[in-house]
Amino acid sequence: SAVISQKPSRDICQRGTSLTIQCQVDSQVTMMFWYRQQPGQSLTLIATANQGSEATYESGFVIDKFPISRPNLTFSTLTVSNMSPEDSSIYLCSVGDGTTQETQYFGPGTRLLVL
Amino acid sequence: SQKIEQNSEALNIQEGKTATLTCNYTNYSPAYLQWYRQDPGRGPVFLLLIRENEKEKRKERLKVTFDTTLKQSLFHITASQPADSATYLCALGQYSSASKIIFGSGTRLSIRP
């Protein structure tokens, strides 16, 4: 298993601003994933971040809005840009186990409220 | 489009009884199905994985069944305890697209003493 930490744990932001969320893993991993979980909703995959390459975004999510960095095998950041109240959500990073990536280990999440 | 439905948003069970949660899916052929537990303010925690060629999996008080014909999984917690109160998520995955695990919206389970 992997231990994942996220910063910040929560934040309240003004619309139009940007917030960068950090995700740190206690071991080296190839793929890291960023999810969004809106209240009462399922987890929605935003993008997959591979070290040394551009992140792969899911339908409905674009790099200009959610730029991702992956500078090494234990760290990633997700920026929520030009925020609006609709971006209020919990943002979670996760990593897969071993080579199969079947099971995912999640960070505690970042609870974002945009006013 | 792919769709996952979990039987209800909330389920209330008397302590000691068996809690049964349902996960149904459409327009998808998963290679495996997982169940996660999520407590308020925390990320999901993996509980069990069952593959398409498996009918049943057990882990302590947990049991999962997987019926690919019915496109359904049942998740059972026997001898339920108040500490089992949480939201339970089912998730589907395919080996050809390992990164794209699809999650249901979850069932909030409450075990009353």
Side-chain angles (χ1 to χ4, degrees):
Chain A
S1 65
V3 177
I4 303 170
S5 59
Q6 286 185 234
K7 288 182 182 178
S9 59
R10 58 178 63 225
D11 208 341
I12 300 173
C13 301
Q14 297 297 319
R15 69 174 67 207
T17 62
S18 297
L19 175 72
T20 295
I21 302 168
Q22 300 179 6
C23 179
Q24 181 77 51
V25 188
D26 68 342
S27 58
Q28 294 185 338
V29 294
T30 305
M31 289 195 286
M32 295 178 74
F33 308 95
W34 286 98
Y35 287 85
R36 182 172 72 183
Q37 187 176 29
Q38 295 179 309
Q41 303 295 315
S42 63
L43 281 76
T44 301
L45 182 64
I46 297 171
T48 302
N50 294 326
Q51 197 272 333
S53 64
E54 293 282 329
T56 302
Y57 288 83
E58 297 300 308
S59 176
F61 298 97
V62 295
I63 188 171
D64 290 345
K65 176 67 176 178
F66 298 100
I68 287 171
S69 79
R70 184 77 203 274
N72 57 52
L73 291 173
T74 63
F75 186 79
S76 179
T77 68
L78 169 77
T79 299
V80 187
S81 304
N82 188 24
M83 289 184 285
S84 66
E86 290 72 34
D87 295 319
S88 298
S89 188
I90 299 172
Y91 292 86
L92 297 139
C93 72
S94 75
V95 302
D97 66 324
T99 55
T100 66
Q101 306 289 306
E102 288 175 341
T103 302
Q104 299 214 346
Y105 301 100
F106 286 86
T110 296
R111 188 178 296 268
L112 171 62
L113 176 63
V114 183
L115 303 177
Chain B
S1 63
Q2 304 154 349
K3 191 174 181 181
I4 303 176
E5 287 186 348
Q6 295 193 235
N7 57 325
S8 60
E9 286 189 14
L11 191 63
N12 295 301
I13 299 292
Q14 180 74 45
E15 181 178 9
K17 301 291 186 183
T18 296
T20 299
L21 283 64
T22 305
C23 176
N24 294 292
Y25 59 93
T26 56
N27 298 323
Y28 202 69
S29 296
Y32 57 88
L33 184 148
Q34 306 172 351
W35 285 88
Y36 289 79
R37 168 179 174 146
Q38 187 173 24
D39 291 285
R42 295 180 177 269
V45 174
F46 169 76
L47 295 175
L48 279 168
L49 179 149
I50 186 166
R51 294 188 171 84
E52 60 179 335
N53 61 346
E54 298 174 318
K55 297 293 185 185
E56 181 179 299
K57 206 80 157 304
R58 292 176 185 260
K59 180 182 177 182
E60 298 173 352
R61 294 184 295 111
L62 309 180
K63 184 178 86 171
V64 173
T65 63
F66 192 11
D67 189 326
T68 55
T69 301
L70 292 178
K71 295 185 181 295
Q72 181 182 80
S73 173
L74 299 179
F75 177 77
H76 306 274
I77 305 176
T78 59
S80 59
Q81 305 166 0
D84 296 325
S85 299
T87 296
Y88 292 85
L89 309 169
C90 74
L92 308 177
Q94 292 176 328
Y95 295 117
S96 61
S97 181
S99 66
K100 295 183 182 179
I101 296 176
I102 303 170
F103 286 85
S105 57
T107 296
R108 189 171 66 252
L109 177 65
S110 297
I111 308 297
R112 60 182 185 275

